[in-house]
Amino acid sequence: MTSRVGTSVIVKATTVSKNGEERTIYYGPFLPHVGSATTTFADELEHELEQSGRYASWDVTIETVFIGEGESDCAVTATR
């Protein structure tokens, strides 16, 4: 069995709009050793979601994923 050693983390934000529509967005990947930067990003994102007044609820979590050729837990896609 292959040992997975190339991990990173993503920030997962799930929001529920006031009309009940649920949406999940993933941010990252971040290298796991930059923990305080990732935590700060997640805290600021949660604060922005709260201050926007657009959502009935939200959940922001930091999740560990593996990104490696041929066996990734997720795909990396450019958004710009």
Side-chain angles (χ1 to χ4, degrees):
M1 181 171 189
T2 303
S3 176
R4 293 177 149 197
V5 295
T7 59
S8 59
V9 295
I10 58 171
V11 175
K12 177 182 172 185
T14 302
T15 59
V16 178
S17 67
K18 292 186 177 181
N19 66 1
E21 184 178 325
E22 185 173 308
R23 180 178 177 197
T24 300
I25 300 175
Y26 301 94
Y27 299 91
F30 300 92
L31 297 174
H33 67 273
V34 293
S36 63
T38 306
T39 303
T40 299
F41 175 81
D43 291 345
E44 289 178 5
L45 177 59
E46 189 162 9
H47 179 72
E48 287 180 21
L49 294 172
E50 180 180 6
Q51 293 300 309
S52 74
R54 297 173 44 196
Y55 304 103
S57 65
W58 58 89
D59 184 43
V60 176
T61 58
I62 298 172
E63 300 185 9
T64 301
V65 295
F66 177 80
I67 300 176
E69 188 173 335
E71 58 177 330
S72 297
D73 291 329
C74 60
V76 178
T77 306
T79 57
R80 293 185 199 195

